[in-house]
Amino acid sequence: MQLTITDTITDQDQEELLQGLRAYNGQFLDFATVGSDIAVYARDDSGKMRGGLIGRRVGEWLDIKYLWVCDDTRGSGLGGQLMRAAEEEARRQGCQQALVDTLSFQARPFYEKQGYQLKMTLDDFPYQGMQRYYLSKAL
């Protein structure tokens, strides 16, 4: 057995690894409900993106990967609108729960205001003195 260490991940290597992982996971997961994307974008009249959310349906969960609202739009309620729209679409697709993670300098209070509850804190991630928070919400 030969081990290769690299800082370059080729598409071919990644796909080969994922094929093996999918074959194993397929014994336990229904791939028809794993992996569908949910995205909500907010654009101004000129078409410029002012905020957006990208998530992924994983079984009965919405896994929120990215949420961003531009600086001059923060505090306007747009973030909450994006979250509610994504949650509603996730419910429509059969999701019963939602998950989000955020770093200590980001948006934990915002998510808690949206009804998310802290489930876990990972200390010193990604650096000493910072935390990564994992929050969830029943939909």
Side-chain angles (χ1 to χ4, degrees):
M1 184 80 56
Q2 177 184 354
L3 297 180
T4 303
I5 299 173
T6 182
D7 62 358
T8 304
I9 301 168
T10 67
D11 290 342
Q12 179 182 348
D13 288 340
Q14 180 171 308
E15 186 55 35
E16 187 176 352
L17 185 147
L18 290 176
Q19 283 178 5
L21 184 60
R22 287 183 198 113
Y24 176 79
N25 289 349
Q27 302 170 83
F28 308 99
L29 300 175
D30 175 6
F31 284 118
T33 64
V34 174
S36 62
D37 294 325
I38 295 176
V40 183
Y41 304 118
R43 298 183 185 278
D44 64 19
D45 292 338
S46 70
K48 183 176 180 183
M49 189 177 293
R50 308 308 286 165
L53 180 151
I54 293 176
R56 192 161 191 77
R57 181 178 173 211
V58 181
E60 295 175 347
W61 283 77
L62 167 63
D63 184 8
I64 298 168
K65 295 294 189 185
Y66 308 107
L67 173 66
W68 168 74
V69 174
C70 68
D71 288 340
D72 60 348
T73 308
R74 288 191 182 156
S76 70
L78 178 58
Q81 288 178 297
L82 293 166
M83 294 287 291
R84 286 186 297 278
E87 291 167 357
E88 182 58 37
E89 177 59 20
R91 272 191 292 276
R92 191 187 70 69
Q93 292 187 25
C95 292
Q96 297 179 18
Q97 304 282 335
L99 168 70
V100 67
D101 68 272
T102 189
L103 297 173
S104 52
F105 64 87
Q106 291 177 319
R108 178 181 165 187
F110 166 79
Y111 292 118
E112 290 174 330
K113 185 177 175 183
Q114 306 307 310
Y116 286 74
Q117 296 180 344
L118 180 65
K119 298 297 180 179
M120 187 183 98
T121 300
L122 184 60
D123 290 323
D124 298 323
F125 183 91
Y127 303 109
Q128 283 289 109
M130 291 184 177
Q131 296 80 35
R132 186 172 186 173
Y133 302 115
Y134 294 86
L135 302 98
S136 69
K137 175 182 178 178
L139 298 178

